[in-house]
Amino acid sequence: MHHVAIGQFEITLDSQPLSGVAASTGLARMSLDKKFQGDLEAVSQGEMLAFRSGVPGSAGYVAMELVRGSLHGRQGSFVLQHSSTMNQGAPTQSVTVVPDSGTEALAGLSGSLVITITDGQHAYRFAYSLPERTQ
């Protein structure tokens, strides 16, 4: 079945040290800790690598995060994979569920999530599919 979940989330990013190989590359590494509210009531933790160019408004990041909680009342966990860029202020983002990462009542989950930021508030729109519940 195809569904849409919407809501807001809070995020905490903490700088982390880079590996010795990446130490002089201009990359940044951060841990992320989120709390989702709305149709997705969950918490997540993950890792992000980012780069900000010398041109204002141009940057990119990749991230992986493990999400645990309830999606429209179905409990479980899943992993989101992020790949996003900003080209002089124009965003392109891909945030998708890693195939076969869903557990418990979220087994078989697939979908993609869009993040928006308005006046400093983070929101999500998660278009997803899940197999029917078996009774």
Side-chain angles (χ1 to χ4, degrees):
M1 291 185 357
H2 297 286
H3 304 276
V4 175
I6 58 171
Q8 298 181 337
F9 66 92
E10 298 171 7
I11 183 169
T12 301
L13 295 170
D14 286 319
S15 294
Q16 301 294 321
L18 288 166
S19 69
V21 173
S24 63
T25 61
L27 296 175
R29 178 175 160 243
M30 289 159 270
S31 63
L32 59 93
D33 190 9
K34 289 182 184 173
K35 182 174 181 181
F36 292 89
Q37 299 169 325
D39 297 327
L40 174 62
E41 290 286 334
V43 295
S44 73
Q45 289 78 37
E47 292 280 325
M48 174 191 295
L49 284 175
F51 180 81
R52 186 180 310 265
S53 82
V55 176
S58 292
Y61 82 89
V62 294
M64 300 293 283
E65 72 178 297
L66 175 61
V67 181
R68 293 182 190 95
S70 173
L71 177 60
H72 280 132
R74 291 178 69 164
Q75 295 286 327
S77 66
F78 58 94
V79 175
L80 289 174
Q81 179 174 315
H82 300 241
S83 177
S84 298
T85 59
M86 189 80 100
N87 184 352
Q88 297 181 16
T92 301
Q93 65 178 260
S94 171
V95 183
T96 58
V97 175
V98 172
D100 298 317
S101 66
T103 67
E104 301 174 49
L106 299 178
L109 177 70
S110 63
S112 61
L113 188 139
V114 175
I115 297 168
T116 57
I117 305 170
T118 305
D119 296 327
Q121 179 61 53
H122 291 74
Y124 65 87
R125 183 181 188 281
F126 186 21
Y128 69 93
S129 294
L130 262 172
E132 292 286 334
R133 289 185 196 236
T134 55
Q135 300 296 343

